[in-house]
Structures are given as structure tokens and as C-alpha cells.
Amino acid sequence: MNHNNSILFDGFQLLTMEPGEVPYGWLKNHRLLVEDGMITWIGRENPPAGAAHATTIEGDGKFLSPGLIDCHTHLVYGGNRADEWEQRLNGVSYEEIARQGGGILSSVRATRAASEDELFQSASKRVIGFMKQGVSTIEVKSGYGLDLESELKMLRVAKRLDDELPLTVIATLLAAHAVPPEFASRSDDYIDMVCKEIIPASVGMCQAVDVFCESIAFDLRQTERVFRAAADHDLKIKVHAEQLTNSGAAALAAEHGALSADHLEYLTTSDCDFLAKHDTVATLLPGAFYTLQEKQKPPVAALREVGAAIAIASDSNPGSSPMASILMVANMACTLFGLTPNEAIAGLTRNAAKALDATGTAGTLSVGKNADLAVWDIASPAELAYGIGHNPCESVYIRGRRI
Ligand code: DI6
Ligand code: FE
């Protein structure tokens, strides 16, 4: 045991985010011991012997939570799409821009043109911004390459982010994000390439495979082909589903054992049963709902009713959700979708960990988990979702080391 790495957090109010009757898993007057980057004890009295060698950090009543988890981002990309945003504000629809070859394909052109290092440098800034807000685990999707080499380039950038920055970066392959221009009107041929070339080449570089199932992207049959190819290569699956229309992709993904189904504005109450039955996390993305000025809200009451786990995330991307504030996501999830602050923070901790198959190491203050912690200068937990654009994160620890 390297006692230099031991810290005793004393005098904090712990938001353990463990599920149960106590909102936020809130523990007052408890202490938390970190040894060698892990949480080794949580209690009131009689800490283990290791505490005697620990550096004590006095909380003065401040709050200590698990590091936040952003379980859905597209934050590796070239260029930006502020001009398209301006077009939309002048009345051109998101779908129309996509059909004009803009939208995702605009970012595809910029991402293919960018070097791996340029993509790493711009993505690093976005990731560091989230870390300053208490994020200690983040998911990063490919999906702006749409050919073998460019998709692998994006996954290499995600790996470099994980290697060179202190937080945990979990990569997802989203080659099935849009039909690339060289496959225009030949979407089935592109899905062939995704299944037979890109997925096999991505093994070892990503945890899951994701698909954009939507009227402007891929249909249910194509989506299922990608799910099967992912399963054939022992990769987990996720899906962008029911964002602009209801396709049934969320229910299909749940039946295929998906970690999560994401967006879900057009999810039906019967779809909710599938998510709960198969323990697939419902990931809500209020930044995209807000940016696209969507009117249809995800069925939060129905998700609660069936006991589905609800996560929330930034969906950080240059088109539908140029979101850089993780607590703004919590505020929007409450104000726009009707989540409670407790549900929103659970959506950024334990349920987000579940959406990334990371519940063994992150998402709650629990003995045996990584000492990924965030210290908050707030007077009550609800303030985490209450402030609009405010960042009360005072310090972040990742594997027990202050960032
Ligand atoms: N749905 C979205 O909102 C993002 N991707 C997706 O499948 C949009 C990504 C973009 O517009 O660049
Ligand atoms: Fe997305």
C-alpha cells in the first residue's frame, strides 16, 4: 500500500448516488478513505488502519459526489456548424439541411480533412472543459469518418484522449451514423461495408457499436444487421432511436441486449416496457431536443412507471447539440423533461455508468470503486441542476489524484 496516495475526506456531505429511499444516497457526517486510487472505506467512526497515514482533506460541509459521467458524446470532429444553425434559425429544417448534403455530412468532410493530431487537439479542449465540471468518465463516438480509415482515425483519437488525459474515455463505433456521399442511394452497400469491414477492424478499439436509426439515416432492417455484426464480434450495442420519428429501434435494441437506447423523444409507452424488461438504459439528450426546437418530449412518466433506468448526457456534437456544460444538461433534463434533480444527477452518475457497462468501477461512492470524485461548493444537492450555466465544481479527483 502506497500511503502517499491515501486521502481521508472528512467533514463532507457524501452524495453516494446509491439507489434507494434516501435521495442522492445522501450521507451526512460520514468520512471516505481513498487508498491507491480506490475507495476503501466509507463510515463514521473507527476508520481502517490506513487512515492513520492518510492526508486529511476537510470538507467544511461541502458536498462530495462520484465523478460525473457523460455517457453520450460525438466530441471528436473537424470544423463546426454554426452556419447551419443560423440557417435553421432562418427556417431551414434539420432534415432539409441533411438532405442538401449538409448536417452530419458537413462534419464528415471536415473530419476526413483533419489530421489525427488536429482532431485530438480540438477534442482535448472539449474534454478538459467537461473535466473542469466534474466529469471523470466520458463516452466518445466515431461517426464523422464514414469510411474505414477515417472511422479508425476517430477511434485512435479516442484512445489517445484516454491515454493522455486523466479521465476514462470509452469509445463507441458509430460508423452507421449517415450514408457517406460515395454510397449515396446505396445505403445497403454501405451497411455491408460497416458490417464486413469497419466493425471487424474496430474490435479492440471500441466497447460498443451504435446506429442512427431514423428517417434521414438507417432503417430498422439495416439497424438490425449492424446489431448482429456487433454481437458476432462480441461488441456491445447502443442506438440513436425515436429522435425525430418512431421506428421501433429502441425496442429492437433492447431485445438485442443494448446497453442503452438514446434520444427517445418519440418512444411509445409500449416501447418503455421493452427497455425495462431487457434492462436497457433510456438515455435522454435534452441538448438535442433544445437545439432542434423539438416539441415532442420523451415519455419520462412512462419510463418511471416501468422502472427503466434513465441516464442523461450532453450529446456534444457540432450539429444537434453543441453542448459544453454537463450541469446544463441536468438543468434541461429537469426543466424541459420533468426529471427531478435527484433523477438528473443519477442520470449523470449510476445510470450513466450502467449505459457504459462501467458500474463495477464508477457511478457511485462505493467501496471498491475508482476514487473518481467531485467536490461541490453548494448548499444543497438540487443546486447541481438548478444553476443555469453555473459551475460549482471546486475540485475533481480521478483515481484519487486531484486534477
Ligand atoms: N442524432 C443526432 O442528434 C446527432 N447524431 C444523431 O444520430 C446529430 C449529429 C450531427 O448533427 O452532427
Ligand atoms: Fe448522438
Side-chain angles (χ1 to χ4, degrees), residues 72-74 139 141 144 174 177 210 212 240 243 262-263 285 288 314-317 320-321:
H72 182 133
T73 87
H74 308 249
E139 185 251 18
K141 301 178 192 289
Y144 291 120
L174 178 59
H177 196 192
D210 192 345
F212 185 20
H240 283 64
Q243 179 182 3
D262 301 29
H263 281 291
L285 305 171
S314 70
D315 194 19
S316 172
N317 77 70
S320 70
S321 185

Side-chain angles (χ1 to χ4, degrees), residues 72 74 77 81 84 88 94 102-108 141 143-144 174 176-178 210-214 216-217 239-241 243-244 262-263 265 285 288-289 292 315-321:
H72 182 133
H74 308 249
Y77 56 85
R81 300 211 322 257
E84 289 184 8
R88 290 209 302 273
Y94 184 77
I104 293 172
L105 295 186
S106 169
S107 293
V108 168
K141 301 178 192 289
Y144 291 120
L174 178 59
H177 196 192
D210 192 345
V211 184
F212 185 20
C213 186
E214 190 51 73
I216 57 172
V239 70
H240 283 64
Q243 179 182 3
L244 307 174
D262 301 29
H263 281 291
E265 282 85 340
L285 305 171
F289 173 89
L292 299 181
D315 194 19
S316 172
N317 77 70
S320 70
S321 185

Side-chain angles (χ1 to χ4, degrees), residues 84 87-88 91-106 109 216:
E84 289 184 8
Q87 267 188 282
R88 290 209 302 273
V92 184
S93 76
Y94 184 77
E95 293 89 337
E96 182 48 37
I97 289 170
R99 289 198 173 88
Q100 289 170 5
I104 293 172
L105 295 186
S106 169
R109 289 190 292 274
I216 57 172

